[in-house]
Amino acid sequence: MDKRTFLKLCSAALTSPALSSLLAWSQSSKLRNWAGNLEYGTEQLTTADSLQQVQDFVRKQKKFKVLGTRHCFNNIANSSEQFLSLKPMDRVIALDPDARTVTVESGMTYGQLCPYLDGKGWALHNLASLPHISIAGACSTATHGSGETNGNLSTAVSALEFVDASGNVVTLTRKKDGEAFRGAVVGLGALGVITKVTLDIQPRFMMHQYVYQNLPLRELKDHFDAIESSAYSVSLFTDWQTESLNEVWLKMRMESGRTADAPPDFFGAKRATKNLHPIAELSAENCTEQMGVPGPWYERLPHFRMGFTPSAGKELQSEYFVPRKHAVEAILAVQRLHEQVSPHLLITEIRTIAADDLWMSTCYQQPSVTIHFTWKQDWPAVQKLLPVIERELAPFHPRPHWGKLFTISSEQIHSSYEKLPAFVELTRKCDPHGKFQNEFLHSYIFGQTYL
Ligand SMILES: Cc1cc2nc3c(=O)[nH]c(=O)nc-3n(C[C@H](O)[C@H](O)[C@H](O)COP(=O)(O)OP(=O)(O)OC[C@H]3O[C@@H](n4cnc5c(N)ncnc54)[C@H](O)[C@@H]3O)c2cc1C
């Protein structure tokens, strides 16, 4: 199928109610992840509505996984035994203006939290490309947005409550629990069932975003730092088909109501004259407002609007984090593969993220650039291509996104995370018999630990 036909089908699937319900029907017959590429290993799913119910469930089960909003593309959340969903646990527990924190139940999504926070005069520091993901699931995999000075979403966590394998409630805070806290935040679903998350907040702020088209690759090579530091959050989109990047999204904070107009030219790219989708051929109606129109932080930081819930995502995703200092070399390395990559690609997004100190974070002690691929849903082709990309990026020691598709070996993962042995030890304390283990964790992190 060529890209044009594929895009037509994608946009039809998203806009036609008949097709949407057909897709929903065909996918509801089995429990699947959001993108539909993964059929989970069991349909046994129990829902909990209180801490007590979570504790009772944990004590009864031998092995299970918690399901968040099912947005991971790989089998990190998969189970062949049992699932627990905390979807009904989506309440705000406390907003503390003095401590500048909000505490929420872990089934809450960013889409639910953000309008509440904004209404109370508060904001989060950053958001992912879409708001429909659960806070606990996103923080467990080091989900990120963009921005030179912005840590990933997990860096906003200042306290966690979870139920360990024996059913006991554990609370860890950034202030009091140092290393154990830093080990637990990006927990990959291995330590226990997260029941509460406390996040840092800041006074609400307004933003506006501008999109530019056709940024020459040579400008990116020569001015990468200037381009990335030109806005609070910068995203570059490319299909690698030409010597230009298709789109640059600049998201700017409007401190004290200032509305500086954006210049018509940005490093050779031209300011768009209408709202655009990251894939320019698709309708922008589901995208956050552009063209410099002011709006609250939570309606500008994501690329996709809160009110829009995609019915099905006919796509696959992969993403690699490389040290920020190798950004240009890494981008050029992928550009060299454009003839192999482009036929299978919908779009690439390039973002930067600040370093952090969370043990299993993809940005652990490393300011990073991420090269993300949204693929057509053709796993046999993508599966062949990933090792080619990973080989090309190997000199930069890429860390794959924990929730996306990769073929990097467990040895490479182990060599990329110096705190991984300490994470294994921490996990064994919370879960001595592997109640929260699955094939993904066994393959990439724990190996023989639980045999
Ligand atoms: C369309 C789309 C856009 C995306 N955009 C971005 C992006 O901009 N940036 C980015 O970094 N990622 C992005 N992602 C990836 C996504 O953010 C991550 O996969 C994230 O983990 C999804 O959260 P979830 O709740 O859906 O996770 P799930 O897939 O449901 O679960 C993920 C992991 O968290 C664990 N978990 C979930 N809830 C709990 C809990 N309460 N207690 C213990 N463990 C728990 C699960 O067991 C599993 O291990 C995107 C994904 C999609 C589909």
Side-chain angles (χ1 to χ4, degrees):
M1 196 187 302
D2 66 19
K3 186 175 172 191
R4 183 169 276 276
T5 316
F6 185 87
L7 292 178
K8 266 195 196 151
L9 276 176
C10 276
S11 43
L14 295 176
T15 51
S16 148
L19 238 176
S20 304
S21 54
L22 197 67
L23 270 169
W25 176 82
S26 66
Q27 296 198 350
S28 68
S29 58
K30 290 279 179 195
L31 192 59
R32 286 175 176 271
N33 65 343
W34 173 87
N37 66 302
L38 176 70
E39 187 181 305
Y40 291 125
T42 177
E43 285 165 45
Q44 300 295 319
L45 182 129
T46 303
T47 299
D49 192 15
S50 67
L51 179 61
Q52 188 60 54
Q53 283 181 14
V54 172
Q55 288 180 284
D56 292 346
F57 182 86
V58 171
R59 288 190 177 118
K60 261 192 236 138
Q61 300 303 319
K62 237 180 132 203
K63 225 176 177 57
F64 71 95
K65 292 304 294 177
V66 185
L67 265 188
T69 36
R70 299 182 289 122
H71 275 58
C72 287
F73 290 83
N74 59 27
N75 61 6
I76 189 169
N78 202 359
S79 171
S80 46
E81 283 87 8
Q82 273 279 348
F83 286 117
L84 178 66
S85 166
L86 277 62
K87 196 163 182 251
M89 294 177 65
D90 61 358
R91 291 156 285 227
V92 173
I93 296 175
L95 180 69
D96 184 340
D98 295 332
R100 293 201 167 190
T101 59
V102 64
T103 300
V104 300
E105 290 180 326
S106 68
M108 185 171 239
T109 64
Y110 287 96
Q112 292 171 300
L113 174 62
C114 294
Y116 166 85
L117 272 185
D118 190 67
K120 300 279 182 196
W122 297 98
L124 299 173
H125 79 294
N126 210 352
L127 290 168
S129 66
L130 87 180
H132 311 91
I133 48 181
S134 80
I135 294 167
C139 293
S140 295
T141 63
T143 290
H144 63 94
S146 190
E148 295 273 89
T149 57
N150 296 324
N152 63 33
L153 305 191
S154 319
T155 61
V157 177
S158 67
L160 270 186
E161 175 191 275
F162 65 90
V163 176
D164 71 11
S166 50
N168 295 329
V169 177
V170 180
T171 304
L172 295 175
T173 70
R174 191 194 284 144
K175 245 190 210 149
K176 291 200 195 115
D177 298 295
E179 286 288 272
F181 172 80
R182 289 191 280 279
V185 175
V186 180
L188 311 178
L191 274 79
V193 182
I194 300 166
T195 42
K196 273 188 214 160
V197 185
T198 303
L199 299 173
D200 293 337
I201 54 174
Q202 55 182 273
R204 79 183 286 274
F205 52 93
M206 296 289 282
M207 297 189 80
H208 56 180
Q209 67 179 334
Y210 286 96
V211 174
Y212 287 83
Q213 291 183 280
N214 302 318
L215 176 78
L217 192 59
R218 61 167 193 284
E219 294 286 333
L220 186 76
K221 267 193 265 179
D222 295 344
H223 304 290
F224 188 78
D225 289 342
I227 288 169
E228 290 299 331
S229 58
S230 62
Y232 184 69
S233 163
V234 177
S235 286
L236 309 172
F237 291 97
T238 180
D239 57 12
W240 306 103
Q241 294 206 21
T242 65
E243 288 290 303
S244 295
L245 288 96
N246 306 34
E247 295 178 18
V248 182
W249 287 41
L250 302 179
K251 298 170 189 280
M252 269 112 27
R253 286 174 73 133
M254 299 168 60
E255 309 302 348
S256 44
R258 189 172 54 87
T259 56
D261 211 10
D265 188 279
F266 178 80
F267 294 94
K270 298 280 171 262
R271 200 174 66 201
T273 52
K274 58 175 188 176
N275 280 358
L276 288 177
H277 188 281
I279 302 170
E281 292 97 325
L282 293 184
S283 157
E285 71 175 317
N286 304 321
C287 297
T288 47
E289 194 64 44
Q290 303 155 31
M291 306 284 290
V293 178
W297 56 281
Y298 71 99
E299 291 182 353
R300 295 296 177 274
L301 284 170
H303 305 324
F304 298 102
R305 285 201 276 131
M306 294 275 185
F308 161 70
T309 308
S311 56
K314 266 250 164 242
E315 62 187 54
L316 301 175
Q317 294 188 9
S318 307
E319 188 167 34
Y320 300 98
F321 295 65
V322 301
R324 171 70 175 70
K325 61 182 180 216
H326 297 310
V328 171
E329 290 164 275
I331 292 166
L332 295 180
V334 177
Q335 173 71 21
R336 282 195 291 277
L337 300 173
H338 69 100
E339 282 180 10
Q340 292 169 75
V341 167
S342 292
H344 304 290
L345 186 75
L346 288 172
I347 202 73
T348 276
E349 181 175 9
I350 297 168
R351 291 178 272 188
T352 52
I353 305 122
D356 61 56
D357 58 2
L358 304 172
W359 293 358
M360 298 307 288
S361 165
T362 34
C363 295
Y364 177 71
Q365 295 198 342
Q366 181 175 286
S368 303
V369 64
T370 59
I371 308 181
H372 160 97
F373 304 84
T374 301
W375 303 108
K376 297 174 192 173
Q377 210 173 71
D378 179 358
W379 177 234
V382 172
Q383 193 177 19
K384 276 195 207 132
L385 200 48
L386 293 183
V388 179
I389 296 172
E390 289 163 4
R391 241 189 335 268
E392 204 65 24
L393 292 177
F396 317 114
H397 305 287
R399 293 172 178 166
H401 191 301
W402 289 116
K404 302 185 183 179
L405 297 162
F406 61 88
T407 60
I408 277 178
S409 69
S410 126
E411 290 73 26
Q412 282 169 280
I413 300 259
H414 279 246
S415 70
S416 304
Y417 289 91
E418 65 180 78
K419 284 290 195 179
L420 194 145
F423 178 70
V424 170
E425 274 315 298
L426 178 67
T427 303
R428 276 165 59 96
K429 283 189 195 142
C430 302
D431 182 18
H433 304 296
K435 193 172 274 195
F436 308 119
Q437 290 289 302
N438 64 4
E439 196 191 318
F440 180 95
L441 293 175
H442 172 75
S443 304
Y444 293 108
I445 313 286
F446 294 93
Q448 307 300 311
T449 308
Y450 287 104
L451 293 183

